[in-house]
Amino acid sequence: MEVARYNSAAQHQTIQHNVVSPLIRSRTEVLRIIEQLTEKQYNDVADLIIPVGDILVHCLDIQLLKQHSLAELFPPIAKFYMIAYCPTSRRIAFGGKNGSIVMHELKTMKSQTVQAHNNPITAVAFSQDGKFLAAYASKDAKITFWQAQQSFLGMGQSQMRLVKTLAAPTEFAVLSPGGTYQPFRARLVWINAKSLTLMLPNGRENRFQI
């Protein structure tokens, strides 16, 4: 709620740096709480990954991303395959339980939302050059590819455009060594600028071309 209040106030301020969020002064504590929740209540954090993403973008020291990776700044991020960061374009994408993707542009500190799938986003990944974002929804059994198009003359916010949809393996039951069911987790890994691999939790891999 505080992040939403801050963003709304900043958007309507003529001089944005006059708007100060109290969360910034407590960013270390806020990030520590999110880290603890990730360890103890992973599924709950994953279900709320889009609002959690808003808090992370708000509280992380974005300037440090010029010298460090997102995983170095906040190691728990590596546990969530529905989060992707592109250092080339300086964008962070969060795939939500409702099938939407929220993309944060760190250069402008603006975000946009696209409805990518009908079911929860399992994994997202940026291509190495930052031109494409792939999103996999296991229950939809589809991978979608998105491209960020810059607005006219490079002014204003870039817009996400769907460029391709491909059929992909669907969700299946995942058992832990103890025999209990675990959340379905799959990972997208780009091999080069035009192809990626879907790494399934049963060890199988599927390759896709854009």
Side-chain angles (χ1 to χ4, degrees):
M1 291 174 64
E2 171 57 28
V3 171
R5 185 203 66 79
Y6 169 83
N7 290 340
S8 178
Q11 187 176 10
H12 294 90
Q13 285 286 330
T14 305
I15 303 176
Q16 294 194 8
H17 62 258
N18 283 345
V19 182
V20 179
S21 167
L23 285 187
I24 297 298
R25 295 191 291 269
S26 306
R27 60 170 51 162
T28 302
E29 289 80 4
V30 172
L31 293 174
R32 189 178 72 247
I33 290 171
I34 294 177
E35 183 172 3
Q36 291 173 344
L37 289 172
T38 298
E39 293 174 357
K40 298 178 180 179
Q41 294 175 261
Y42 174 91
N43 292 343
D44 294 326
V45 176
D47 286 347
L48 297 170
I49 203 64
I50 286 180
V52 168
D54 290 342
I55 297 170
L56 287 175
V57 171
H58 186 80
C59 292
L60 287 172
D61 189 342
I62 301 301
Q63 295 302 316
L64 291 178
L65 281 175
K66 295 179 180 179
Q67 293 85 30
H68 303 278
S69 68
L70 185 61
E72 288 175 330
L73 285 189
F74 191 67
I77 213 90
K79 299 179 181 179
F80 298 94
Y81 296 149
M82 72 290 289
I83 302 175
Y85 171 63
C86 177
T88 304
S89 60
R90 289 179 60 78
R91 295 188 178 107
I92 301 179
F94 297 88
K97 186 179 181 180
N98 62 353
S100 66
I101 296 174
V102 176
M103 177 112 68
H104 293 264
E105 306 241 5
L106 301 184
K107 293 179 181 178
T108 60
M109 292 307 293
K110 295 184 181 298
S111 65
Q112 60 176 305
T113 303
V114 294
Q115 190 62 41
H117 290 270
N118 297 320
N119 284 288
I121 304 293
T122 310
V124 294
F126 284 101
S127 60
Q128 297 163 359
D129 56 11
K131 291 183 179 179
F132 298 100
L133 175 70
Y136 168 55
S138 58
K139 289 186 177 179
D140 284 352
K142 292 179 182 178
I143 290 179
T144 53
F145 293 88
W146 301 81
Q147 187 174 31
Q149 285 191 321
Q150 193 63 41
S151 55
F152 182 65
L153 298 180
M155 301 173 64
Q157 187 177 1
S158 59
Q159 297 296 318
M160 296 298 295
R161 179 177 68 91
L162 179 64
V163 292
K164 198 169 189 178
T165 300
L166 295 175
T170 189
E171 184 174 81
F172 52 84
V174 181
L175 288 173
S176 71
T180 56
Y181 285 99
Q182 297 292 317
F184 182 93
R185 298 177 190 173
R187 185 179 182 187
L188 292 171
V189 178
W190 285 85
I191 302 168
N192 52 50
K194 293 291 185 179
S195 61
L196 59 73
T197 297
L198 172 64
M199 303 175 69
L200 298 173
N202 62 358
R204 293 184 180 180
E205 298 182 359
N206 296 78
R207 185 169 296 189
F208 299 87
Q209 297 277 343
I210 187 169

